[in-house]
């Protein structure tokens, strides 16, 4: 009798356990229980595959597993991004492509030392030039680099187009232009625009000479009296 009693308890327990399954994709989660399924769909990529397993993308900067010489990084996901505490060249790693880039000059304005302010997936270097911040935002598929001009009177003394020069290092990969983008290995620099807080936008011409790419902010746009602070010069990698 004792053995039959245990068997009946086991049978009842199996009947009471619900059937549960789960499925994950790049931008959705689905869970099913007893034939009823719930699906969450996101407007952005939330998961990526690593060793055939879906992992949730973590966009936040940390201090673990950063490249040597770098203080903060996002060390997993589809690509990795490494920065230093003092404003200098960041490093993007995507597969076998490594790209570091450094703001060499902002017209005739002089850079001064600046330390990183890190919050979740953004890093701000305040006042790399008095009145100008640099902001990096880590997103699932791209890094946004924004040069934020907090006071457009900085442009007042300019009499020509503003040239911004960046030095690129693709660590052995070829750097060239491809249409309206710059290609370095498997990475692209694109979407070169400037806009003000009211949404007035202009595209920014650029050219590549060796490992230096130069962005040209048109003088007439700089001097536009209708532009409203702050003014952002935006690139995407």
């Amino acid at each position: 009798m004792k053995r039959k009693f245990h068997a009946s308890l086991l049978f009842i327990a199996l009947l009471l356990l619900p059937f549960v399954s789960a499925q994950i994709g790049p931008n959705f989660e689905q869970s099913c229980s007893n034939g009823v399924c719930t699906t969450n769909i996101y407007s952005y990529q939330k998961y990526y595959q690593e060793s055939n397993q879906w992992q949730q993308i973590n966009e936040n900067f940390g201090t673990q597993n950063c490249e040597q010489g770098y203080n903060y990084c996002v060390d997993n996901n589809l690509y990795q991004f490494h920065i230093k505490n003092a404003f200098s060249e960041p490093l993007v790693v995507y597969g076998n492509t490594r790209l570091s880039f450094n703001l060499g000059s902002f017209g005739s304005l002089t850079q001064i030392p600046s330390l990183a302010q890190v919050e979740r997936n953004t890093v701000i270097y305040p006042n790399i030039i008095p009145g100008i911040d640099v902001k990096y935002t880590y997103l699932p598929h791209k890094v946004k680099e924004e040069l934020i001009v907090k006071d457009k009177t900085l442009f007042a003394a300019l009499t020509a187009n503003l040239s911004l020069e960046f030095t690129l290092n693709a660590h052995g990969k070829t750097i060239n232009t491809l249409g309206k983008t710059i290609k370095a290995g498997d990475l692209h620099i694109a979407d070169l625009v400037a806009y003000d807080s009211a949404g007035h936008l202009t595209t920014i011409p650029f050219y590549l000479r060796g490992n230096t790419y130069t962005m040209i902010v048109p003088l007439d746009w700089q001097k536009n009296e209708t532009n409203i602070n702050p003014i952002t010069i935006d690139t995407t990698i």
Side-chain angles (χ1 to χ4, degrees):
M1 288 295 294
K2 188 174 183 180
R3 296 172 70 181
K4 289 183 179 180
F5 177 69
H6 284 168
S8 62
L9 281 179
L10 177 61
F11 179 68
I12 292 171
L14 289 173
L15 286 177
L16 293 176
L17 287 174
F19 175 74
V20 178
S21 66
Q23 187 176 1
I24 292 175
N27 68 331
F28 72 89
E29 307 156 342
Q30 183 182 75
S31 60
C32 299
S33 178
N34 293 329
V36 178
C37 296
T38 301
T39 302
N40 295 321
I41 300 176
Y42 302 92
S43 60
Y44 56 91
Q45 183 169 348
K46 186 174 182 179
Y47 298 96
Y48 73 103
Q49 277 200 323
E50 184 175 291
S51 302
N52 294 320
Q53 298 291 321
W54 287 106
Q55 306 287 341
Q56 184 170 340
I57 292 175
N58 181 359
E59 303 175 6
N60 295 334
F61 283 91
T63 57
Q64 301 297 314
N65 304 318
C66 300
E67 292 274 339
Q68 185 175 359
Y70 290 85
N71 305 102
Y72 303 99
C73 62
V74 182
D75 67 316
N76 286 307
N77 310 329
L78 299 172
Y79 71 95
Q80 296 76 52
F81 188 48
H82 305 261
I83 63 164
K84 298 179 180 180
N85 188 42
F87 179 64
S88 57
E89 73 281 2
L91 171 67
V92 182
V93 180
Y94 177 61
N96 294 322
T97 298
R98 301 166 63 87
L99 176 66
S100 48
F101 48 98
N102 184 53
L103 177 61
S105 66
F106 195 107
S108 59
L109 301 176
T110 302
Q111 294 185 41
I112 60 176
S114 178
L115 298 180
Q117 297 177 352
V118 181
E119 184 175 354
R120 302 184 66 181
N121 69 324
T122 63
V123 177
I124 295 176
Y125 292 97
N127 297 310
I128 63 150
I129 295 166
I132 300 176
D133 297 345
V134 172
K135 178 180 179 182
Y136 296 108
T137 304
Y138 184 100
L139 299 170
H141 287 279
K142 61 187 178 183
V143 172
K144 288 180 67 65
E145 180 189 51
E146 298 167 287
L147 285 79
I148 302 170
V149 181
K150 294 176 285 188
D151 183 358
K152 67 178 183 180
T153 60
L154 288 168
F155 295 149
L158 298 178
T159 58
N161 295 335
L162 175 65
S163 296
L164 285 74
E165 291 190 354
F166 292 82
T167 302
L168 307 178
N169 181 0
H171 302 268
K173 300 289 186 181
T174 301
I175 302 173
N176 52 39
T177 55
L178 183 65
K180 295 182 179 181
T181 68
I182 295 172
K183 186 175 185 296
D186 293 325
L187 290 169
H188 294 78
I189 300 173
D191 301 330
L192 307 182
V193 296
Y195 53 87
D196 72 347
S197 59
H200 303 134
L201 182 144
T202 185
T203 57
I204 301 179
F206 72 92
Y207 61 87
L208 179 69
R209 182 174 296 152
N211 289 345
T212 300
Y213 91 87
T214 303
M215 301 163 56
I216 308 295
V217 183
L219 179 65
D220 58 351
W221 194 85
Q222 301 169 42
K223 300 289 188 178
N224 191 333
E225 293 295 331
T226 64
N227 287 343
I228 301 173
N229 293 329
I231 291 171
T232 301
I233 301 168
D234 188 351
T235 61
T236 298
I237 300 174

